[in-house]
Amino acid sequence: MPDLARPLALVAGAFALLLGLPAQAQSAAEPPSSEAIVDAFEAVLGPIRTHRPSHAKGTCAAGHFVATPDGTRLSVAPVFNGQRVPAVIRFGVGVGNPAGPDTGRTTRSLSIRFETEAGDIWDMANISAPIFGSPTPQVMVQGLLARRPDPATGRPNAEAVAAFIAANPSTTNQARWLAATLPPASWATTPYWGVNAFRFRGTDGEVRHIRWVFEPRAGTQRLTEEQMRSLPSEFLADELRRRVAAAPVEFDMVLQFAGPGDDLTNPTVTWPDDRPRAVVGRLTVTEVAPGPGGACDPISFLTLDQAPGIEYSDDPTLHARTGAYAVSLSRRLQ
Ligand code: HEM
């Protein structure tokens, strides 16, 4: 353990005891195990065996991805070979309850499994906000545990939540962004950000730190306040079915390149808008499942790397994702 880490862990442990939380989950230094992460979701939501603990509501879709010449130049990964790559897709709503509303000020999601003809698989899960709600997996677990329902009231302990937020102010960045941004009018009319930084290795051998966003070719359209009140809690899936039946829905995959001083490891902050960008591919959605279930249901979108073309950055939340998603899936399939 580094010199500073132990005192920090002790302070965090003392803080945990004050809040009545298990000290182990509150260690500031040690990343939580994948099991501890999923346990923390279950501490808030109860045992989850039928749906995802995050983005629980979703609809399966399918389509394909084709890299642009810039994409082929910027990544040597097979998915950017310029051929048509089939895609299993899931559109989701960032709620813990699969019956949660489509109209809330939460994130929407676009998860994609690419599978090349040669059998190379690349997974990703993107959200309709440019930032995430936790700077590290440790803080994510602490935030979940702080929101556990109090057995006496069935509600989170307000003092524990306030103390957690005071100690971790960056965890409110995403909520403030969502409060200031109306929800998407359609799954087809919002950008979806990958949020975490990755390293792309191009055909020139150069490694570039990037973040990506899927930009809707239909443009960005948001609900009005009145629609948020009047629309039914289920409308996104039918709207997408109607839209795709009329014409494929398309997104451009756009890379944003890190500049000097940009934070490469903290997903609660954005990079400046004027950073250079490149369109590296187009995702085309051609089918939407007629109802619940489908090819996206029994899989998890594991946020994989594709070394050497697409490698993880040093962002600790990125490193926590694959294992946690796998544990979550294994509990769902039990
Ligand atoms: C500490 C970091 C993170 C942890 C521990 C974590 C944990 C999880 C878990 C356990 C699931 C359920 C997976 C399943 O059951 O299949 C999930 C789903 C999801 N997460 Fe994360 N997550 C993290 C970071 C992020 C970030 C930064 C994003 C932003 C892009 C994100 C977006 C999503 C989406 C969109 C889903 C739903 C995927 C689907 O459609 O199946 N997560 N997350």
Side-chain angles (χ1 to χ4, degrees), residues 52 55 90 109 111 125 132 140 300-301 321 325 328 332:
R52 288 146 168 88
H55 297 264
R90 181 174 186 268
S109 52
S111 304
F132 189 54
M140 182 188 208
S300 187
F301 297 89
R321 291 180 74 179
Y325 289 36
S328 179
R332 199 159 67 238

Side-chain angles (χ1 to χ4, degrees), residues 37-38 41 51-55 90 109-111 125-127 132 136-137 140 193-196 267 299-301 316-318 320-321 324-325 328-329 332:
I37 291 172
V38 180
F41 275 106
H51 54 271
R52 288 146 168 88
S54 175
H55 297 264
R90 181 174 186 268
S109 52
L110 168 65
S111 304
N126 310 291
I127 53 172
F132 189 54
T136 64
M140 182 188 208
W193 286 266
V195 179
N196 296 122
I299 64 172
S300 187
F301 297 89
T317 66
L318 183 50
R321 291 180 74 179
Y325 289 36
S328 179
L329 175 67
R332 199 159 67 238

